[in-house]
Amino acid sequence: MNHDDLRHWSKHAADWAHDYHATLRDRPVRAPLTPGAIAAQLPATAPETAEPMQQIFADFEAIVPPGMTHWQHPRFFAYFPANAAPASMLAEQLANAMACQGMLWQTSPAATEIEQVMIEWLRDALGLPKGFTGTLHDSATTTTLSAILTMREQATAFAGNIAGLSGQPQLRFYASAQTHSSVDKAIRVAGVGQENLVKIPTDAGFSMRPGALAGAIAADKAAGLLPAGVILCAGGTSIGAFDRIAECIAVAKAHDLPMHVDAAWAGSAMICPEFRALWAGVEGADSIVFNPHKWLGAQFDCAVQFLRDPTPQVKTLGLRPTYLETAGREEIVNFNEWTVPLGRRFRALKLWFTLRAYGLEGLRNRIRNHVAWANEACAALAKLDQVQIVTQPILSLFTFALKNDAATEALLNRINDDGRIYLTQTRHDGRYVIRVQVGQFDCTRDDVMMIPQVVAELLPR
Ligand SMILES: *Cc1c(COP(=O)(O)O)cnc(C)c1O
């Protein structure tokens, strides 16, 4: 296969992609679950000699789509969305064609400079103050890891990186029980130890209690431990909980602690001014993460980190050996110094295409529709016999259950085996509940109203 063949086959792939998307509604959303069924269709070893693309493509069509869970299916209401707007897919094709590695400004100036502009566009679109700058990461998990490593180094006067943590006071971090497991993972990977992530109790609205946060910090200080940072939740994965951001930030500030806000899912909704009250006070944070690859339409992977001041993070993560120096260019930014990996894909291109092809107003309309339709579907479900709404919609996420966990789980299995819609579960307040989130880029009101229809059909008789 050479570049002339690639021209032919990429046109063929574009046609395939169009047909695939056009027929998504006819496919079951979730892949049928038979472990090993796909692997069994592949030979045990790699071919010694070249195979014709005709055959490779035919095998792809036969084996792969039936083994996929269709994330771009308009009736995907599971987890959170991983949207891929058509304009984003086009940009990824172009980025793939150039296949750059944008670790330094000079290794692709356009990749770095468009990334800088996209961060500014998004900062303004979310209503954040001009002072914030930022960078792109692959995922919210590595973004949160970068923020926690930075807070760790600030707390230890940058001794952790050099001398290790063993000679340091015991570090303490604070988060609510509603924060995502990526925070726990980052705390583990950063060498802080899970036991030093203090889970602060929440109030009736499942928001971190600022008084409890203040109490925990004061108690740790009195015990000779070293508070190092606060991680706040703006739209938790389980039920969409928001911490009381302004009050919690005030507590952190009073103790001179840095704060990182995880808005991986809900951040996209903040392009709509009417939702910003949910994270009021966020401009006091030092670091904020949100994933355009969830709700905004820029496909996976694409996580944005806004930073009040990048200096401590660059001091934590930046290394500049001679082979990465750029002679005579002191003013440029080398984004690898802001992130964990050295190598970087050209992720900014899909943001540029997506923001321009739909416009902020087009993206706002989608998100507003999703929120409105989620509320409508929730109201329709609430009218069904046996169904209990457990948590009301926060943006476009709500949960429901039947009378006990076994009945709820059995219903969820029936729904997902049916295949017209796809929902997933969480545990809330000790209860097994079904999550519904609306956010797929191409979904319509009819797609969303299929949720109460399918549930009504599949309720126990
Ligand atoms: C999805 C999600 C994450 C993890 O995102 P990745 O980009 O997959 O690492 C973290 N926090 C919240 C609130 C999320 O919704």
Side-chain angles (χ1 to χ4, degrees):
M1 171 123 183
N2 59 28
H3 282 281
D4 290 329
D5 300 326
L6 177 59
R7 175 200 288 261
H8 167 77
W9 283 102
S10 52
K11 287 178 179 164
H12 190 68
D15 288 337
W16 181 89
H18 182 271
D19 295 344
Y20 169 74
H21 284 274
T23 55
L24 273 175
R25 278 192 180 84
D26 305 330
R27 301 172 192 247
V29 192
R30 190 187 68 177
L33 302 178
T34 38
I38 305 299
Q41 298 176 67
L42 270 53
T45 54
E48 291 292 337
T49 54
E51 297 185 55
M53 187 47 65
Q54 197 91 34
Q55 186 59 48
I56 300 171
F57 206 98
D59 287 345
F60 162 75
E61 289 192 85
I63 297 172
V64 178
M68 298 299 284
T69 292
H70 303 292
W71 282 74
Q72 306 314 319
H73 195 301
R75 294 193 297 270
F76 182 101
F77 305 113
Y79 307 98
F80 279 135
N83 280 327
S88 161
M89 290 190 168
L90 180 61
E92 282 284 71
Q93 274 181 31
L94 299 174
N96 286 345
M98 295 181 287
C100 82
Q101 209 278 52
M103 59 187 174
L104 305 172
W105 174 84
Q106 72 174 2
T107 64
S108 282
T112 297
E113 294 184 17
I114 293 177
E115 180 164 331
Q116 289 174 303
V117 176
M118 290 308 104
I119 295 289
E120 289 172 5
W121 281 14
L122 287 170
R123 172 199 64 200
D124 296 348
L126 268 57
L128 294 170
K130 296 273 182 217
F132 278 97
T133 165
T135 190
L136 297 179
H137 297 253
D138 53 355
S139 63
T141 301
T142 33
T143 309
T144 294
L145 173 62
S146 303
I148 286 176
L149 290 169
T150 303
M151 296 195 273
R152 181 193 81 184
E153 288 308 292
Q154 286 175 292
T156 60
F158 295 87
N161 267 350
I162 305 303
L165 293 180
S166 56
Q168 298 298 326
Q170 193 174 337
L171 298 180
R172 304 285 274 177
F173 286 84
Y174 310 87
S176 89
Q178 291 292 323
T179 41
H180 189 268
S181 59
S182 58
V183 177
D184 303 71
K185 187 185 271 191
I187 288 287
R188 291 175 178 206
V189 174
V192 170
Q194 178 84 58
E195 289 173 5
N196 294 309
L197 176 61
V198 184
K199 296 283 172 79
I200 305 295
T202 51
D203 61 18
F206 299 92
S207 312
M208 183 191 287
R209 285 173 39 215
L213 173 63
I217 296 170
D220 281 349
K221 279 185 171 168
L225 309 179
L226 182 56
V230 179
I231 299 99
L232 297 175
C233 173
T237 307
S238 187
I239 61 153
F242 277 77
D243 287 333
R244 287 148 65 181
I245 306 282
E247 292 163 84
C248 291
I249 284 183
V251 171
K253 276 207 159 71
H255 289 275
D256 225 8
L257 291 180
M259 305 131 258
H260 170 67
V261 174
D262 179 1
W265 162 64
S268 295
M270 302 310 170
I271 61 171
C272 307
E274 69 270 30
F275 299 134
R276 291 182 194 153
L278 285 167
W279 75 349
V282 71
E283 63 281 354
D286 296 287
S287 166
I288 304 164
V289 61
F290 98 100
N291 281 347
H293 74 226
K294 279 185 172 154
W295 209 353
L296 212 56
Q299 78 197 71
F300 190 83
D301 50 7
C302 189
V304 170
Q305 183 183 23
F306 295 111
L307 288 161
R308 163 183 308 289
D309 173 12
T311 316
Q313 189 156 314
V314 172
K315 204 170 158 193
T316 301
L317 300 177
L319 289 171
R320 203 178 283 187
T322 308
Y323 48 79
L324 294 178
E325 282 172 1
T326 308
R329 289 268 191 277
E330 277 319 304
E331 77 284 10
I332 49 99
V333 167
N334 293 320
F335 270 133
N336 80 80
E337 297 171 1
W338 301 42
T339 57
V340 174
L342 171 63
R344 322 183 87 241
R345 303 178 58 236
F346 189 175
R347 297 192 182 91
L349 196 66
K350 60 194 168 193
L351 281 170
W352 194 42
F353 273 51
T354 303
L355 292 169
R356 293 181 64 189
Y358 306 98
L360 287 173
E361 206 42 41
L363 296 170
R364 284 187 200 108
N365 283 341
R366 277 190 171 74
I367 286 173
R368 285 173 177 145
N369 280 338
H370 296 161
V371 172
W373 297 336
N375 277 278
E376 249 188 275
C378 181
L381 278 170
K383 289 201 187 102
L384 297 178
D385 232 23
Q386 308 179 53
V387 170
Q388 301 163 13
I389 304 301
V390 179
T391 59
Q392 293 296 324
I394 299 178
L395 296 171
S396 64
L397 170 63
F398 64 92
T399 62
F400 72 95
L402 302 185
K403 64 178 187 296
N404 60 46
D405 287 1
T408 308
E409 190 170 354
L411 173 65
L412 182 63
N413 288 335
R414 282 199 297 281
I415 291 169
N416 292 333
D417 288 343
D418 172 87
R420 280 173 290 173
I421 62 173
Y422 183 21
L423 305 177
T424 48
Q425 76 290 336
T426 189
R427 191 159 281 284
H428 180 70
D429 238 3
R431 230 175 142 183
Y432 182 101
V433 300
I434 300 177
R435 284 171 84 258
V436 179
Q437 71 75 26
V438 177
Q440 211 287 323
F441 205 74
D442 294 320
C443 77
T444 63
R445 184 179 168 279
D446 285 350
D447 290 316
V448 178
M449 294 316 283
M450 184 83 88
I451 301 167
Q453 184 189 321
V454 169
V455 171
E457 282 176 35
L458 299 177
L459 282 173
R461 313 204 172 271

mmCIF file of all heavy atoms in Angstrom, residues 8-35:
data_model
loop_
_atom_site.group_PDB
_atom_site.id
_atom_site.type_symbol
_atom_site.label_atom_id
_atom_site.label_comp_id
_atom_site.label_asym_id
_atom_site.label_seq_id
_atom_site.Cartn_x
_atom_site.Cartn_y
_atom_site.Cartn_z
ATOM 1 N N HIS A 8 -7.116 6.208 -3.075
ATOM 2 C CA HIS A 8 -8.287 5.397 -3.418
ATOM 3 C C HIS A 8 -9.018 4.930 -2.153
ATOM 4 O O HIS A 8 -10.235 5.072 -2.030
ATOM 5 C CB HIS A 8 -7.859 4.200 -4.268
ATOM 6 C CG HIS A 8 -8.935 3.154 -4.394
ATOM 7 N ND1 HIS A 8 -10.019 3.298 -5.239
ATOM 8 C CD2 HIS A 8 -9.111 1.977 -3.736
ATOM 9 C CE1 HIS A 8 -10.810 2.248 -5.120
ATOM 10 N NE2 HIS A 8 -10.291 1.425 -4.206
ATOM 11 N N TRP A 9 -8.249 4.372 -1.236
ATOM 12 C CA TRP A 9 -8.897 3.741 -0.083
ATOM 13 C C TRP A 9 -9.455 4.755 0.901
ATOM 14 O O TRP A 9 -10.426 4.482 1.602
ATOM 15 C CB TRP A 9 -7.935 2.763 0.603
ATOM 16 C CG TRP A 9 -7.841 1.500 -0.202
ATOM 17 C CD1 TRP A 9 -6.824 1.130 -1.047
ATOM 18 C CD2 TRP A 9 -8.840 0.480 -0.293
ATOM 19 N NE1 TRP A 9 -7.120 -0.068 -1.647
ATOM 20 C CE2 TRP A 9 -8.358 -0.496 -1.203
ATOM 21 C CE3 TRP A 9 -10.091 0.280 0.293
ATOM 22 C CZ2 TRP A 9 -9.075 -1.645 -1.525
ATOM 23 C CZ3 TRP A 9 -10.798 -0.868 -0.023
ATOM 24 C CH2 TRP A 9 -10.297 -1.802 -0.925
ATOM 25 N N SER A 10 -8.863 5.937 0.953
ATOM 26 C CA SER A 10 -9.450 6.909 1.880
ATOM 27 C C SER A 10 -10.776 7.428 1.339
ATOM 28 O O SER A 10 -11.685 7.726 2.112
ATOM 29 C CB SER A 10 -8.470 8.024 2.258
ATOM 30 O OG SER A 10 -7.931 8.595 1.117
ATOM 31 N N LYS A 11 -10.921 7.491 0.012
ATOM 32 C CA LYS A 11 -12.242 7.836 -0.546
ATOM 33 C C LYS A 11 -13.252 6.723 -0.235
ATOM 34 O O LYS A 11 -14.403 6.990 0.121
ATOM 35 C CB LYS A 11 -12.139 8.059 -2.057
ATOM 36 C CG LYS A 11 -11.456 9.373 -2.395
ATOM 37 C CD LYS A 11 -11.307 9.570 -3.892
ATOM 38 C CE LYS A 11 -10.638 10.923 -4.164
ATOM 39 N NZ LYS A 11 -10.125 11.023 -5.524
ATOM 40 N N HIS A 12 -12.769 5.504 -0.366
ATOM 41 C CA HIS A 12 -13.634 4.361 -0.050
ATOM 42 C C HIS A 12 -14.043 4.405 1.434
ATOM 43 O O HIS A 12 -15.205 4.178 1.784
ATOM 44 C CB HIS A 12 -12.861 3.070 -0.369
ATOM 45 C CG HIS A 12 -13.703 1.829 -0.307
ATOM 46 N ND1 HIS A 12 -14.707 1.550 -1.205
ATOM 47 C CD2 HIS A 12 -13.693 0.800 0.572
ATOM 48 C CE1 HIS A 12 -15.280 0.404 -0.893
ATOM 49 N NE2 HIS A 12 -14.689 -0.075 0.193
ATOM 50 N N ALA A 13 -13.081 4.750 2.292
ATOM 51 C CA ALA A 13 -13.367 4.823 3.731
ATOM 52 C C ALA A 13 -14.356 5.946 4.027
ATOM 53 O O ALA A 13 -15.227 5.805 4.898
ATOM 54 C CB ALA A 13 -12.068 5.035 4.516
ATOM 55 N N ALA A 14 -14.264 7.044 3.282
ATOM 56 C CA ALA A 14 -15.200 8.156 3.502
ATOM 57 C C ALA A 14 -16.620 7.720 3.138
ATOM 58 O O ALA A 14 -17.584 8.043 3.850
ATOM 59 C CB ALA A 14 -14.778 9.372 2.675
ATOM 60 N N ASP A 15 -16.744 6.972 2.049
ATOM 61 C CA ASP A 15 -18.070 6.459 1.668
ATOM 62 C C ASP A 15 -18.586 5.473 2.718
ATOM 63 O O ASP A 15 -19.759 5.505 3.090
ATOM 64 C CB ASP A 15 -18.003 5.758 0.300
ATOM 65 C CG ASP A 15 -17.832 6.760 -0.833
ATOM 66 O OD1 ASP A 15 -18.200 7.942 -0.636
ATOM 67 O OD2 ASP A 15 -17.322 6.367 -1.897
ATOM 68 N N TRP A 16 -17.692 4.626 3.167
ATOM 69 C CA TRP A 16 -18.084 3.654 4.209
ATOM 70 C C TRP A 16 -18.581 4.406 5.447
ATOM 71 O O TRP A 16 -19.624 4.047 6.023
ATOM 72 C CB TRP A 16 -16.895 2.744 4.560
ATOM 73 C CG TRP A 16 -17.290 1.744 5.595
ATOM 74 C CD1 TRP A 16 -17.826 0.512 5.374
ATOM 75 C CD2 TRP A 16 -17.256 1.928 7.018
ATOM 76 N NE1 TRP A 16 -18.121 -0.086 6.572
ATOM 77 C CE2 TRP A 16 -17.784 0.750 7.597
ATOM 78 C CE3 TRP A 16 -16.827 2.953 7.864
ATOM 79 C CZ2 TRP A 16 -17.901 0.576 8.981
ATOM 80 C CZ3 TRP A 16 -16.946 2.786 9.229
ATOM 81 C CH2 TRP A 16 -17.475 1.613 9.779
ATOM 82 N N ALA A 17 -17.827 5.429 5.842
ATOM 83 C CA ALA A 17 -18.175 6.174 7.060
ATOM 84 C C ALA A 17 -19.549 6.813 6.914
ATOM 85 O O ALA A 17 -20.358 6.810 7.852
ATOM 86 C CB ALA A 17 -17.124 7.246 7.349
ATOM 87 N N HIS A 18 -19.843 7.331 5.730
ATOM 88 C CA HIS A 18 -21.151 7.952 5.521
ATOM 89 C C HIS A 18 -22.273 6.923 5.692
ATOM 90 O O HIS A 18 -23.261 7.162 6.380
ATOM 91 C CB HIS A 18 -21.232 8.610 4.144
ATOM 92 C CG HIS A 18 -22.559 9.289 3.940
ATOM 93 N ND1 HIS A 18 -23.657 8.617 3.418
ATOM 94 C CD2 HIS A 18 -22.986 10.529 4.253
ATOM 95 C CE1 HIS A 18 -24.693 9.437 3.414
ATOM 96 N NE2 HIS A 18 -24.312 10.605 3.903
ATOM 97 N N ASP A 19 -22.079 5.752 5.071
ATOM 98 C CA ASP A 19 -23.111 4.715 5.169
ATOM 99 C C ASP A 19 -23.248 4.220 6.603
ATOM 100 O O ASP A 19 -24.357 3.953 7.075
ATOM 101 C CB ASP A 19 -22.776 3.541 4.232
ATOM 102 C CG ASP A 19 -22.813 3.975 2.775
ATOM 103 O OD1 ASP A 19 -23.383 5.056 2.490
ATOM 104 O OD2 ASP A 19 -22.259 3.247 1.919
ATOM 105 N N TYR A 20 -22.124 4.095 7.278
ATOM 106 C CA TYR A 20 -22.144 3.659 8.682
ATOM 107 C C TYR A 20 -22.996 4.623 9.521
ATOM 108 O O TYR A 20 -23.904 4.206 10.245
ATOM 109 C CB TYR A 20 -20.711 3.593 9.218
ATOM 110 C CG TYR A 20 -20.615 3.409 10.724
ATOM 111 C CD1 TYR A 20 -20.895 2.177 11.314
ATOM 112 C CD2 TYR A 20 -20.236 4.477 11.553
ATOM 113 C CE1 TYR A 20 -20.806 2.015 12.694
ATOM 114 C CE2 TYR A 20 -20.138 4.315 12.924
ATOM 115 C CZ TYR A 20 -20.428 3.085 13.495
ATOM 116 O OH TYR A 20 -20.360 2.927 14.853
ATOM 117 N N HIS A 21 -22.721 5.902 9.392
ATOM 118 C CA HIS A 21 -23.468 6.869 10.203
ATOM 119 C C HIS A 21 -24.944 6.920 9.810
ATOM 120 O O HIS A 21 -25.811 7.109 10.655
ATOM 121 C CB HIS A 21 -22.804 8.247 10.125
ATOM 122 C CG HIS A 21 -21.565 8.320 10.972
ATOM 123 N ND1 HIS A 21 -21.607 8.632 12.310
ATOM 124 C CD2 HIS A 21 -20.271 8.051 10.693
ATOM 125 C CE1 HIS A 21 -20.378 8.572 12.809
ATOM 126 N NE2 HIS A 21 -19.552 8.225 11.856
ATOM 127 N N ALA A 22 -25.207 6.730 8.511
ATOM 128 C CA ALA A 22 -26.597 6.799 8.051
ATOM 129 C C ALA A 22 -27.428 5.620 8.559
ATOM 130 O O ALA A 22 -28.652 5.702 8.624
ATOM 131 C CB ALA A 22 -26.626 6.847 6.513
ATOM 132 N N THR A 23 -26.777 4.517 8.913
ATOM 133 C CA THR A 23 -27.525 3.320 9.331
ATOM 134 C C THR A 23 -27.419 3.055 10.830
ATOM 135 O O THR A 23 -27.862 1.999 11.308
ATOM 136 C CB THR A 23 -27.011 2.073 8.582
ATOM 137 O OG1 THR A 23 -25.593 1.959 8.786
ATOM 138 C CG2 THR A 23 -27.287 2.170 7.093
ATOM 139 N N LEU A 24 -26.861 4.010 11.580
ATOM 140 C CA LEU A 24 -26.653 3.756 13.016
ATOM 141 C C LEU A 24 -27.946 3.445 13.754
ATOM 142 O O LEU A 24 -27.985 2.569 14.620
ATOM 143 C CB LEU A 24 -25.953 4.961 13.665
ATOM 144 C CG LEU A 24 -24.424 4.926 13.600
ATOM 145 C CD1 LEU A 24 -23.848 6.216 14.154
ATOM 146 C CD2 LEU A 24 -23.871 3.732 14.365
ATOM 147 N N ARG A 25 -29.022 4.167 13.411
ATOM 148 C CA ARG A 25 -30.273 3.964 14.163
ATOM 149 C C ARG A 25 -30.809 2.536 14.016
ATOM 150 O O ARG A 25 -31.606 2.101 14.824
ATOM 151 C CB ARG A 25 -31.340 4.972 13.740
ATOM 152 C CG ARG A 25 -31.188 6.330 14.412
ATOM 153 C CD ARG A 25 -32.422 7.218 14.204
ATOM 154 N NE ARG A 25 -32.255 8.510 14.865
ATOM 155 C CZ ARG A 25 -31.626 9.552 14.332
ATOM 156 N NH1 ARG A 25 -31.105 9.467 13.127
ATOM 157 N NH2 ARG A 25 -31.510 10.689 15.007
ATOM 158 N N ASP A 26 -30.374 1.834 12.961
ATOM 159 C CA ASP A 26 -30.851 0.460 12.769
ATOM 160 C C ASP A 26 -30.024 -0.557 13.545
ATOM 161 O O ASP A 26 -30.331 -1.744 13.529
ATOM 162 C CB ASP A 26 -30.797 0.087 11.277
ATOM 163 C CG ASP A 26 -31.559 1.092 10.432
ATOM 164 O OD1 ASP A 26 -32.537 1.663 10.956
ATOM 165 O OD2 ASP A 26 -31.155 1.334 9.273
ATOM 166 N N ARG A 27 -28.954 -0.118 14.159
ATOM 167 C CA ARG A 27 -28.063 -1.061 14.862
ATOM 168 C C ARG A 27 -28.330 -1.019 16.356
ATOM 169 O O ARG A 27 -28.708 0.024 16.888
ATOM 170 C CB ARG A 27 -26.596 -0.687 14.620
ATOM 171 C CG ARG A 27 -26.193 -0.693 13.155
ATOM 172 C CD ARG A 27 -24.782 -0.110 12.994
ATOM 173 N NE ARG A 27 -24.492 0.166 11.594
ATOM 174 C CZ ARG A 27 -23.570 -0.488 10.866
ATOM 175 N NH1 ARG A 27 -22.862 -1.447 11.413
ATOM 176 N NH2 ARG A 27 -23.367 -0.169 9.612
ATOM 177 N N PRO A 28 -28.116 -2.155 17.070
ATOM 178 C CA PRO A 28 -28.195 -2.108 18.526
ATOM 179 C C PRO A 28 -27.078 -1.205 19.047
ATOM 180 O O PRO A 28 -25.961 -1.262 18.532
ATOM 181 C CB PRO A 28 -27.971 -3.559 18.960
ATOM 182 C CG PRO A 28 -27.352 -4.238 17.794
ATOM 183 C CD PRO A 28 -27.746 -3.474 16.555
ATOM 184 N N VAL A 29 -27.382 -0.353 20.048
ATOM 185 C CA VAL A 29 -26.373 0.620 20.475
ATOM 186 C C VAL A 29 -25.179 -0.088 21.097
ATOM 187 O O VAL A 29 -24.036 0.185 20.758
ATOM 188 C CB VAL A 29 -26.948 1.626 21.495
ATOM 189 C CG1 VAL A 29 -25.971 2.779 21.696
ATOM 190 C CG2 VAL A 29 -28.295 2.159 21.042
ATOM 191 N N ARG A 30 -25.460 -1.017 21.998
ATOM 192 C CA ARG A 30 -24.364 -1.697 22.694
ATOM 193 C C ARG A 30 -24.010 -2.977 21.960
ATOM 194 O O ARG A 30 -24.888 -3.692 21.487
ATOM 195 C CB ARG A 30 -24.792 -2.029 24.130
ATOM 196 C CG ARG A 30 -23.641 -2.523 24.997
ATOM 197 C CD ARG A 30 -24.130 -3.006 26.344
ATOM 198 N NE ARG A 30 -24.928 -4.232 26.219
ATOM 199 C CZ ARG A 30 -25.437 -4.904 27.249
ATOM 200 N NH1 ARG A 30 -25.253 -4.449 28.471
ATOM 201 N NH2 ARG A 30 -26.154 -5.988 27.054
ATOM 202 N N ALA A 31 -22.702 -3.272 21.885
ATOM 203 C CA ALA A 31 -22.263 -4.507 21.237
ATOM 204 C C ALA A 31 -22.822 -5.701 21.998
ATOM 205 O O ALA A 31 -22.901 -5.682 23.214
ATOM 206 C CB ALA A 31 -20.736 -4.570 21.222
ATOM 207 N N PRO A 32 -23.191 -6.757 21.265
ATOM 208 C CA PRO A 32 -23.593 -7.992 21.954
ATOM 209 C C PRO A 32 -22.400 -8.511 22.764
ATOM 210 O O PRO A 32 -21.273 -8.493 22.280
ATOM 211 C CB PRO A 32 -23.940 -8.947 20.816
ATOM 212 C CG PRO A 32 -23.777 -8.202 19.548
ATOM 213 C CD PRO A 32 -23.175 -6.878 19.817
ATOM 214 N N LEU A 33 -22.658 -8.956 23.986
ATOM 215 C CA LEU A 33 -21.544 -9.275 24.877
ATOM 216 C C LEU A 33 -21.227 -10.767 24.879
ATOM 217 O O LEU A 33 -21.832 -11.532 25.614
ATOM 218 C CB LEU A 33 -21.874 -8.808 26.297
ATOM 219 C CG LEU A 33 -22.188 -7.321 26.439
ATOM 220 C CD1 LEU A 33 -22.549 -6.985 27.867
ATOM 221 C CD2 LEU A 33 -21.037 -6.456 25.978
ATOM 222 N N THR A 34 -20.292 -11.153 24.019
ATOM 223 C CA THR A 34 -19.804 -12.539 24.036
ATOM 224 C C THR A 34 -18.284 -12.482 24.019
ATOM 225 O O THR A 34 -17.675 -12.431 22.954
ATOM 226 C CB THR A 34 -20.312 -13.332 22.813
ATOM 227 O OG1 THR A 34 -20.290 -12.446 21.669
ATOM 228 C CG2 THR A 34 -21.708 -13.858 23.003
ATOM 229 N N PRO A 35 -17.652 -12.469 25.194
ATOM 230 C CA PRO A 35 -16.194 -12.298 25.266
ATOM 231 C C PRO A 35 -15.463 -13.336 24.425
ATOM 232 O O PRO A 35 -15.809 -14.524 24.439
ATOM 233 C CB PRO A 35 -15.893 -12.480 26.757
ATOM 234 C CG PRO A 35 -17.180 -12.156 27.458
ATOM 235 C CD PRO A 35 -18.262 -12.587 26.528
#
